[in-house]
Amino acid sequence: MAVDHIIIGSGINGLVAAAMLSAKGRRVLVLEREADFGGCMRTGEVTLPGFSHDVMAATFVLFMTSPAGALLAPDLARHGMDYCHTPHPTAVLRPDGSSLVLSTDQARNITAFNAQASGDGDQHGRDVGSIAAEAPFLFSLLGGDLWSFATARLMFGQVRRRGLRGLAAWMGEALAPACGWLETRYQSPLVQALWAPWVLHCGLTPESAYSAKMGQVIAFALEAAGAPVVRGGAGAAVNAFRRLIEERGGVLRSGADVERILVRDGRVTGVRLATGEEIAAPSVLASVAPGQLFGRLLGSDAPPEDASAAKTFRHGRGDFQLHYALDRAPDWMADGLEKVALIHLSDGIDAVSKSANEAERGLLPEVPTICVGQPSALDPSRAPDGKAVLWLQIPDAPRLIKGDAAGRIGGRSWDVATREAFADRIEAILARHIRDFAAIKLARRAYSPKDLEAMNVNLVGGDPYGGHCGIDQFFIWRPLAHSTNGLGRVKGLIHIGASTHPGPGLGGGSGFNAAKRLGA
């Protein structure tokens, strides 16, 4: 086939770009090196037959509320993509058994938080209210093309509104860490503990610059839109995308490993697969990590400045996944958790900081921060009648193991024995909060950072966020200090994916922005 655009990688950004470009009549070819499409969106019966597990990404609030989601939702729904909701998107459960549940009803949250500590609910209302008031400006910075006339006009408008000093003050506040936000604005340890773990899902820690603002954005999004899952699993979303792209004339090929992006006279001419097959195209969108793009894929055609900078690009903590098939729905010892989408098991700010710091230093955390998803509570189709699945994500696992913070696990690599020993540690924490857990556990399946990288080459060291998300590798500096919206010196090549602005997650932002730039 004659091709207008080749897209390397079939994660959310590649699929969004393919759907948008094919809608404009462009001839699009998506090339996926793995046997299955979807990148981090993958559903399978990995424990027992009849139990469907989202092996990586699970919650779709970022896509549902994104510009890409709004644009593509009607057509994806036509092809079978449907959301399952709960009015209780998240909760925290502390070691002493105390818990706090967030509702999608702001008035109820304000009352509940004030009951924990006088004024905490009112502060919550002010925090999420400030995000709502700033939404046009803030979400343009978080998701739009930063090197653009639209952003320049936006910034000029803010200067006119706030003044230079006012805008500088806003930027300074936006760089505050989450620990400062939570410790100075909230008195209740439970309210603090509810929000502290969420910064890990942004690839940050409670001490990271701008983690307070991201925590407030998450609070706003969860309260406003919940934590929906896709009916049938994340893989059902991928199938809907595939059907939509094919309906529009696009082609998707799995098992197609791109070995090299072909360049002549500084311009893309196509790609060569590992099989030797060459495919011509004047445009390539590469949804890959920087090491892949400026190493293997471009080789000697990589601009020297990019190749040099890519060698200093840093990846973040690894991710650890643990999945359970249960004989019945979990009976939580704390009340009100039965229909909560995502429950964090954590003692609060210091506990999150400790586990993340241990992981960043190469240690298996003594008490990891655990996120427990209950997809079958929202979508009963995930398990046989009367049974259940649990999805556990540990966002503070070391990429490379140097030791064990508890001094009990001796492994220094993510071999099977070390993976299962760490899974035992997590399970012991989980089991303390669920009645008769051992009796209802039918099977479990663990995935170490090494396992996740084996399934998706872009998860370097099991890093699910496309690279460290500190301020020096974010916004206009993602992935490289001289980055400009994924456009480099190779004409016709656009870098997209989690390693590029606007960063990780299922929002599809870089694919959306690239497609818009190409006329979609």
Side-chain angles (χ1 to χ4, degrees):
M1 64 176 289
V3 178
D4 294 316
H5 304 284
I6 291 174
I7 298 175
I8 303 173
S10 64
I12 186 66
N13 288 289
L15 293 175
V16 164
M20 292 173 63
L21 290 168
S22 58
K24 295 297 183 180
R26 310 292 175 79
R27 296 164 297 184
V28 175
L29 172 63
V30 179
L31 299 174
E32 170 57 55
R33 65 178 287 159
E34 301 299 334
D36 299 313
F37 299 112
C40 288
M41 298 179 292
R42 183 181 301 212
T43 304
E45 295 180 344
V46 301
T47 55
L48 294 172
F51 292 82
S52 296
H53 303 268
D54 287 337
V55 176
M56 299 185 208
T59 305
F60 277 72
V61 62
L62 289 180
F63 182 73
M64 189 180 77
T65 58
S66 71
L71 175 68
L72 297 173
D75 290 311
L76 290 172
R78 242 185 342 103
H79 287 287
M81 185 172 171
D82 183 28
Y83 296 111
C84 300
H85 298 270
T86 172
H88 307 296
T90 192
V92 67
L93 180 55
R94 299 180 72 199
D96 63 4
S98 59
S99 63
L100 182 62
V101 178
L102 183 79
S103 166
T104 51
D105 182 334
Q106 185 177 110
R108 181 174 295 181
N109 292 331
I110 290 174
T111 299
F113 291 10
N114 277 336
Q116 293 296 324
S118 178
D120 276 10
D122 300 321
Q123 182 61 52
H124 170 74
R126 288 191 292 272
D127 282 341
V128 295
S130 70
I131 298 299
E134 297 169 349
F137 173 49
L138 180 59
F139 290 112
S140 292
L141 291 181
L142 290 175
D145 270 344
L146 296 181
W147 292 108
S148 66
F149 287 113
T151 299
R153 287 194 298 271
L154 183 75
M155 296 300 293
F156 180 69
Q158 290 297 310
V159 170
R160 293 185 61 184
R161 175 188 164 199
R162 304 172 190 262
L164 278 173
R165 290 191 178 184
L167 182 58
W170 185 92
M171 290 289 186
E173 181 185 347
L175 292 175
C179 58
W181 162 54
L182 294 171
E183 288 172 345
T184 60
R185 298 194 189 184
Y186 294 95
Q187 302 175 61
S188 166
L190 263 175
V191 175
Q192 294 174 353
L194 178 68
W195 299 124
W198 276 102
V199 301
L200 300 183
H201 298 278
C202 302
L204 303 171
T205 73
E207 291 80 22
S208 298
Y210 80 91
S211 58
K213 187 61 70 176
M214 294 307 298
Q216 292 163 19
V217 168
I218 289 170
F220 168 79
L222 290 171
E223 186 176 81
V229 299
V230 171
R231 191 178 307 280
V238 177
N239 290 336
F241 265 107
R242 178 179 54 79
R243 287 189 286 265
L244 175 60
I245 293 165
E246 291 175 343
E247 175 187 73
R248 293 173 170 178
V251 175
L252 299 92
R253 289 177 56 181
S254 62
D257 183 10
V258 176
E259 179 182 77
R260 193 69 179 263
I261 296 173
L262 303 177
V263 178
R264 183 183 300 120
D265 298 328
R267 175 176 287 279
V268 160
T269 61
V271 301
R272 183 174 65 243
L273 304 185
T275 59
E277 178 186 359
E278 293 191 0
I279 306 170
S283 170
V284 172
L285 287 72
S287 184
V288 298
Q292 283 284 314
L293 180 60
F294 300 113
R296 181 173 86 125
L297 293 180
L298 283 174
S300 59
D301 291 312
E305 185 180 6
D306 294 344
S308 177
K311 293 176 181 177
T312 65
F313 182 80
R314 306 187 318 283
H315 283 276
R317 298 179 302 277
D319 190 39
F320 191 98
Q321 294 264 329
L322 190 55
H323 302 273
Y324 286 97
L326 303 180
D327 195 41
R328 57 176 170 78
D331 182 10
W332 295 94
M333 294 184 186
D335 293 334
L337 301 181
E338 294 77 17
K339 295 294 184 181
V340 176
L342 298 167
I343 304 167
H344 282 109
L345 309 184
S346 175
D347 200 26
I349 301 171
D350 292 341
V352 173
S353 178
K354 179 177 181 291
S355 63
N357 181 264
E358 288 168 347
E360 289 186 341
R361 291 187 290 115
L363 301 178
L364 296 165
E366 180 179 18
V367 183
T369 303
I370 302 170
C371 181
V372 183
Q374 303 188 99
S376 54
L378 283 67
D379 176 14
S381 73
R382 304 289 185 96
D385 288 347
K387 304 191 186 303
V389 297
L390 288 182
W391 172 96
L392 273 65
Q393 182 185 50
I394 293 76
D396 48 18
R399 290 188 296 114
L400 300 173
I401 302 174
K402 299 178 182 178
D404 176 23
R408 299 188 185 95
I409 299 175
R412 295 297 178 267
S413 67
W414 280 115
D415 55 25
V416 172
T418 302
R419 181 190 70 197
E420 296 306 315
F422 191 54
D424 288 342
R425 176 174 296 173
I426 296 161
E427 184 174 308
I429 296 171
L430 176 69
R432 288 198 288 269
H433 296 287
I434 297 175
R435 292 182 180 88
D436 301 321
F437 183 77
I440 67 171
K441 183 181 81 169
L442 298 176
R444 86 176 184 194
R445 176 73 178 272
Y447 293 88
S448 72
K450 179 181 177 182
D451 296 327
L452 297 178
E453 182 177 9
M455 290 189 289
N456 186 334
V457 70
N458 290 320
L459 305 185
V460 179
D463 169 15
Y465 301 115
H468 176 65
C469 295
I471 189 68
D472 63 305
Q473 287 192 171
F474 222 71
F475 300 110
I476 60 173
W477 307 287
R478 191 165 185 85
L480 309 176
H482 58 277
S483 293
T484 53
N485 288 337
L487 298 173
R489 292 171 177 79
V490 179
K491 296 177 182 179
L493 175 63
I494 301 181
H495 191 188
I496 63 173
S499 298
T500 68
H501 179 75
L506 293 181
S510 65
F512 178 87
N513 290 340
K516 284 292 187 183
R517 198 177 306 135
L518 293 169

